[in-house]
Structures are given as structure tokens and as C-alpha cells.
Amino acid sequence: MEDQKSSTSSSDPTPKVTGIGGIFFFSDNPKETREWYAKNLGLDTNDWGSTFESRNVANPEEIESLQWSPFKKGDEYFSPSKKEFMINYRVQNIEGLIKKLKENGVTILDDIATYDYGKFVHILDADGNKIELWEPA
């Protein structure tokens, strides 16, 4: 059996998905949706949604996050996908992953953008779903 630490270690350069970084979905009224989830399910929400934190099982010192965010129905951020959701996948070696995806003929929608909290790029899967790839800083 493969050692779990070796497959998820930050020293592992393999370009791949390591987890879910966010769940984004359309809402007729994102503010009311956030308020409903706060009132009824206890989510700690802000203008962006809610952030869930957990620890990396292979490296317990590392805190990982998952962002939950309702978007106004029809928001162009999901384009060109016509779906009502978008998943953000946490990845390692985003540059290597983009190279691999290009070699496999995957549609890359934009260039890698770098922010204080990580690198992002968007792709389309085989069903036309827009996917956000995120390599945390």
C-alpha cells in the first residue's frame, strides 16, 4: 500500500489535484442564501460566503481551507460554462499540471494568475464545466 505521506507531501512535485478548494453555485439572492445558511445551519458567513478549515492529514501543521460561495445567478465568473456550479480544486505544481493538461488537449481558459493567497487558472472539463484550479501560496 502506498504511503499516504508520499502522495500528498508538499515535497511531491507530481502535478495533480490534492483536494477540494471551493464550491461555488448560483443563487437568485446570494445575500439571503448566506443569511439562511448562517441562521439555520450555523455557517460563519461574510460577503464571500463561508470558509471551512481543516488540517492536512499528511502534514497536521498545515491548515487547509474550503470556500463555500453563492454567486448571483448568471454571474459571468462561471462563463463559458452554462452550469449552475463551479468546483475549485486545490492542486500542487500548477505549472506542471497546466503543461500536462495542454498536452492532453484540455481547454485552458486563461493564464495562471498569482495572488497573495495562491495561483489560479480555469479550465473546462469534458462536460463543459468550468473548473477553477488553485495552488495555495
Side-chain angles (χ1 to χ4, degrees):
M1 187 166 135
E2 181 182 358
D3 177 13
Q4 188 171 7
K5 282 190 175 188
S6 68
S7 67
T8 59
S9 168
S10 59
S11 64
D12 178 2
T14 305
K16 64 181 179 180
V17 168
T18 61
I20 303 288
I23 300 170
F24 311 129
F25 59 95
F26 282 151
S27 170
D28 290 330
N29 188 323
K31 182 178 185 294
E32 284 181 12
T33 298
R34 289 190 304 270
E35 290 171 356
W36 186 94
Y37 275 85
K39 176 182 176 184
N40 294 292
L41 298 178
L43 269 64
D44 182 16
T45 62
N46 59 30
D47 289 344
W48 306 110
S50 187
T51 303
F52 297 89
E53 292 185 340
S54 60
R55 297 220 178 248
N56 180 332
V57 74
N59 180 7
E61 305 304 313
E62 182 180 335
I63 296 174
E64 298 179 334
S65 63
L66 182 144
Q67 184 64 35
W68 172 93
S69 298
F71 280 73
K72 180 71 178 160
K73 193 169 192 170
D75 192 300
E76 288 299 311
Y77 192 63
F78 288 36
S79 291
S81 176
K82 302 296 183 202
K83 304 296 172 89
E84 297 202 359
F85 66 91
M86 180 172 59
I87 298 174
N88 167 299
Y89 290 101
R90 190 172 35 252
V91 304
Q92 63 187 25
N93 189 355
I94 198 167
E95 289 86 0
L97 185 55
I98 291 302
K99 181 177 185 252
K100 176 181 173 181
L101 294 172
K102 285 179 180 177
E103 290 169 359
N104 290 342
V106 173
T107 301
I108 312 298
L109 296 173
D110 47 19
D111 294 325
I112 296 171
T114 303
Y115 301 93
D116 292 344
Y117 43 91
K119 297 177 183 179
F120 293 84
V121 70
H122 299 91
I123 66 171
L124 290 179
D125 72 7
D127 290 323
N129 298 310
K130 185 176 182 179
I131 295 172
E132 186 170 69
L133 302 177
W134 166 51
E135 182 174 28

